[in-house]
């Protein structure tokens, strides 16, 4: 799904950087999320929380 239409950033783009350990500021610098109209910023932050939660759940289950 497209998260940032202005820059053409998808949820997978964000997920890939999150897996590498990027935080919101790094994702903004790397992908340009929330640097034009800004409407995608909250969605990006929520995705980062979701990915963090999923990673924690996988780690705990292992």
């Amino acid at each position: 799904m497209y998260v940032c239409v202005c820059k053409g950033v998808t949820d997978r783009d964000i997920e890939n950087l999150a897996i590498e350990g990027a935080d919101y500021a790094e994702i903004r610098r790397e992908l340009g999320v929330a640097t034009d109209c800004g409407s995608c910023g909250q969605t990006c932050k929520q995705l980062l929380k979701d990915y963090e939660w999923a990673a924690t759940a996988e780690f705990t289950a292992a």
Side-chain angles (χ1 to χ4, degrees):
M1 135 182 106
Y2 278 95
V3 174
C4 178
V5 176
C6 297
K7 300 290 185 177
V9 178
T10 66
D11 56 339
R12 292 188 188 225
D13 297 328
I14 294 169
E15 181 181 20
N16 289 336
L17 287 178
I19 288 169
E20 294 174 9
D23 63 8
Y24 179 68
E26 292 167 329
I27 289 172
R28 280 191 69 176
R29 274 193 304 276
E30 184 73 25
L31 300 177
V33 169
T35 58
D36 279 344
C37 77
S39 66
C40 60
Q42 291 300 337
T43 303
C44 180
K45 288 178 184 178
Q46 186 60 51
L47 285 172
L48 287 173
K49 286 180 185 177
D50 293 347
Y51 298 144
E52 182 180 333
W53 181 85
T56 303
E58 287 177 18
F59 181 73
T60 305

